[in-house]
Amino acid sequence: MVPPAAAAPGPGAAWAARFTPLHLAYALVLGGLFLYFNYLPLFHTDLWGHVAFGEWILEHQALPTEDPWQPLAEGMPLVDSAWLGQVVLAITHKLAGAAGLTVLFAMLMAAAYGLLARAFVLRSGYTWLGLLGVGLVVIIGWSRLMTLRPEVLGSICFAAVLWLAVVIDRSLQRGEEAAAAGERPAAWLGGDLGPRQSTAPGGIPLWTWVLLPLVMMLWANLHGSFVCGLAMLVCLAGGQIVESAWQRRSLWGVLADSRVRQTILLAELSAAATLVNPYGMDLWIEVLRFSANENLRDITEWYPLVLASPTGAQFALAWLAAVILARLSPLRIQVWEVLAWLLFSFLVATSLRMVGWFSMAASLVLIRHLGGTIRGLAGRHPLKKDATAAGTPLAAPARGSAGAQDASAGASPGEPAQLAALAGRLAAYRSEGDSAAGGTAIAAARGPAPAQNSSDSPSSGARPSAQDTASANVSESGSTLPVLAARGHWYWCAATLFVLWVVFALSDLSRPILGGTPRSEQRLYSRQTPLELTRWLHANPPQGQVFNPQWWGDWLAYRGPAGMKLFATTHVHLIPPRVYRDYTRIASVREGWEEALARYRVTTVIVDKELMQSLLAAMRQRSGWGLRYEDGQAAVFIRQGPGTSVPANAAASNRPEQRGAAEPGRGTAAESHVSAADQSGGAAGR
């Protein structure tokens, strides 16, 4: 009987006492990443194209069939695979402006890392390895973390798919072990289990059958990268098929394997869910053939991987770590891990833009075997078949006292009798609740009440020692021993909440509530954004066809003068191949560049002085063109001669203090990343 002095604290105090230093560490890491992405300047390329497309969709209540901002791409059909993501960006920009986009970016990235951390914890068995896994994702995929685009929405969906894949794989492993032990399988609607523990035949939770197709349906409308999620599910199902074939050596045995049937069915349901989009099967066709567009060959992010580069070095180090861990880890290497690793490695080798997806899939594999290696080196029992993660309240939340398990019935024949007695002591201590001084939570497996005493152990009422706790923390798959979670205290709760408050107060999210001076344009936009050029163009709208750097095309279409006839935007896959070849010819000043300018009747040439130095020098030497504007970033040349219409105010002073500042206009195109493929630069993507 519990003495009055040892009575358990109230629900609020018990909740606060469950916080540990790891909660604070997660708040610091995820909060720090949130602030970093919040203050990352908005990039000047495809972001504004997506915002403009979203506004066009909202205004017309329809999807565009052609690019509205590239007159030279007229007649080229458009399958807008990111339409929902563009609408999200447009609504955010309309409600909260550019600062709202930075907050959205930060929230999406923090949520994606949170989901990945949860998957890493489940995969490794160590809560602190979730933080290390997040660090691996950041390091390997750093080059894809510099701009907000619908791909970010795809990243959070991929993180959700990886987490669900881990849950499914763990459930299948537990179902296999339960079948081997002769236990009755759970009923479809949960049987005698609680509603939160309901599973389908074979052990997969029912909620995953609903959530996974919903995530894939949403992803297919947010961004064309949904095929990466389908590829991961195919790897999961393919791994089950190969392992079942190896074990059963029979085609009929494979077909009768519930693991195989369920993973295939989940992949099929997810694939069917992606067809719930405005284009149906045409979306699949467009996404699969997109990378074959010849216009993408000049774009850096579509280049194949070069090992003698920062990204190549990170990729090589990931492979080296995988080889070392495969040698050291006592865990069995799963086939679906190998399939996923090889598939995403191949994708990175063919296109640099796939490194973000590789970083998440590869980290999931590395963290699992790192956890197993740590357990093996520490002399602890390694995780077998992805056993329940243990070690902290984040990984093993405490359950009700009715869930204590009979240690004597669950311990394997080879385990010492002391462990069985210790399980009873732990369960008895757990039944008293968390003491005010200790603040310790105990997570125990379900089952009947444990035995209270053992002839070779101390009294069941004695508080278990730290050594006893370490001995009981076996964490083997299907283990019947309770797991003592890490010690917590209310002051860790206070510190964690304080960190979260500081993150909120320092971010743009707090400005509507706490006030403060908004960030200036120079801090809100990337330094490559042509702000001064845009102001001059508003005061001096160009007439006729304009030749422009395509990486500025989205910004100029959205923020430049209305009706501006741009040569190219980052939607380069919609430009006819001959037109794009002429674009690169002019930008690189190759043979026939002047004839190309005349053929398209270009009257205004905008030059990026940093990335188009050859064109800048050539334009200065041509007598038929006059320099009308120049600053440290851009120069504008206007054609001179008979029949050329030049605005009367086109020769306005180039000094910034004398240039007028007009209100931004409308217009843009779609997705990309700046490139230095040649002197013309480049950007593109989907």
Side-chain angles (χ1 to χ4, degrees), residues 160 163-164 206-217:
W163 164 58
L164 290 170
L206 285 176
W207 56 269
T208 60
W209 290 85
V210 178
L211 184 57
L212 184 57
L214 286 178
V215 170
M216 292 306 303
M217 180 181 67

Side-chain angles (χ1 to χ4, degrees), residues 125-370:
Y126 287 96
T127 305
W128 64 270
L129 281 182
L131 294 175
L132 181 59
V134 169
L136 286 176
V137 174
V138 172
I139 293 172
I140 299 175
W142 181 257
S143 61
R144 303 299 298 173
L145 301 178
M146 306 309 293
T147 183
L148 172 60
R149 51 172 45 165
E151 182 179 318
V152 174
L153 296 167
S155 297
I156 191 172
C157 292
F158 192 53
V161 168
L162 291 179
W163 164 58
L164 290 170
V166 171
V167 171
I168 291 168
D169 182 64
R170 286 161 50 87
S171 301
L172 292 174
Q173 298 296 338
R174 287 196 297 265
E176 180 184 11
E177 293 165 0
E183 298 178 6
R184 181 176 61 85
W188 177 266
L189 294 178
D192 55 353
L193 300 178
R196 297 181 61 186
Q197 300 162 333
S198 298
T199 59
I204 298 180
L206 285 176
W207 56 269
T208 60
W209 290 85
V210 178
L211 184 57
L212 184 57
L214 286 178
V215 170
M216 292 306 303
M217 180 181 67
L218 182 65
W219 191 357
N221 291 276
L222 289 171
H223 192 253
S225 58
F226 69 90
V227 293
C228 293
L230 291 179
M232 180 59 68
L233 296 178
V234 169
C235 290
L236 179 61
Q240 299 298 330
I241 293 173
V242 173
E243 291 182 359
S244 180
W246 180 261
Q247 294 170 0
R248 299 172 184 266
R249 308 298 176 91
S250 167
L251 176 61
W252 295 112
V254 173
L255 296 177
D257 193 333
S258 63
R259 297 175 302 163
V260 172
R261 295 199 307 268
Q262 289 183 92
T263 51
I264 291 178
L265 180 57
L266 275 169
E268 290 175 341
L269 289 175
S270 300
T274 62
L275 297 177
V276 184
N277 68 79
Y279 302 100
M281 185 62 72
D282 287 344
L283 178 64
W284 279 40
I285 297 173
E286 170 65 17
V287 170
L288 293 176
R289 72 179 183 181
F290 178 79
S291 60
N293 190 292
E294 63 178 273
N295 292 349
L296 301 178
R297 298 173 185 172
D298 292 331
I299 309 303
T300 297
E301 65 178 16
W302 289 96
Y303 281 8
L305 179 69
V306 177
L307 290 179
S309 66
T311 302
Q314 295 161 355
F315 178 79
L317 288 176
W319 266 87
L320 178 62
V323 172
I324 294 174
L325 290 176
R327 178 66 181 85
L328 297 177
S329 175
L331 300 179
R332 175 177 60 87
I333 299 177
Q334 295 178 299
V335 175
W336 78 274
E337 290 180 321
V338 177
L339 295 177
W341 184 280
L342 294 178
L343 173 62
F344 285 94
S345 294
F346 170 77
L347 294 176
V348 173
T350 57
S351 174
L352 288 175
R353 68 178 280 116
M354 299 303 299
V355 69
W357 315 106
F358 170 79
S359 67
M360 291 184 273
S363 298
L364 192 70
V365 177
L366 294 175
I367 286 298
R368 174 176 180 259
H369 292 281
L370 179 58

Side-chain angles (χ1 to χ4, degrees), residues 348-434:
V348 173
T350 57
S351 174
L352 288 175
R353 68 178 280 116
M354 299 303 299
V355 69
W357 315 106
F358 170 79
S359 67
M360 291 184 273
S363 298
L364 192 70
V365 177
L366 294 175
I367 286 298
R368 174 176 180 259
H369 292 281
L370 179 58
T373 300
I374 292 173
R375 287 180 177 274
L377 294 177
R380 300 178 62 188
H381 199 299
L383 289 171
K384 288 185 178 180
K385 300 180 180 178
D386 294 340
T388 303
T392 70
L394 287 176
R399 302 180 184 271
S401 60
Q405 187 175 16
D406 188 349
S408 61
S412 63
E415 289 178 327
Q418 289 85 348
L419 289 179
L422 174 61
R425 291 172 53 203
L426 289 174
Y429 171 67
R430 177 178 174 276
S431 66
E432 299 178 1
D434 298 334

Side-chain angles (χ1 to χ4, degrees), residues 12-54:
W15 174 82
R18 292 189 55 177
F19 278 74
T20 68
L22 275 174
H23 288 88
L24 178 60
Y26 269 88
L28 288 170
V29 172
L30 296 181
L33 288 171
F34 177 87
L35 288 177
Y36 169 77
F37 290 115
N38 185 186
Y39 283 96
L40 193 67
L42 295 173
F43 219 48
H44 58 284
T45 57
D46 56 335
L47 166 62
W48 305 107
H50 292 302
V51 174
F53 265 98

Side-chain angles (χ1 to χ4, degrees), residues 549 551 586-589 593 606-621 630 632-633 635 637 678-681:
W551 54 92
I586 297 170
S588 302
V589 196
W593 70 277
I606 300 176
V607 180
D608 183 336
K609 295 175 65 176
E610 180 180 358
L611 297 178
M612 306 174 79
Q613 296 180 13
S614 296
L615 180 60
L616 177 63
M619 293 299 296
R620 291 186 188 277
Q621 298 172 2
E630 184 176 10
Q633 187 176 38
F637 297 86
D678 50 30
Q679 291 178 349
S680 67

Side-chain angles (χ1 to χ4, degrees), residues 656-686:
E657 63 270 16
Q658 295 185 12
R659 290 197 295 269
E663 290 296 324
R666 291 285 186 229
T668 190
E671 183 172 8
S672 169
H673 208 254
V674 71
S675 158
D678 50 30
Q679 291 178 349
S680 67
R686 180 168 286 281

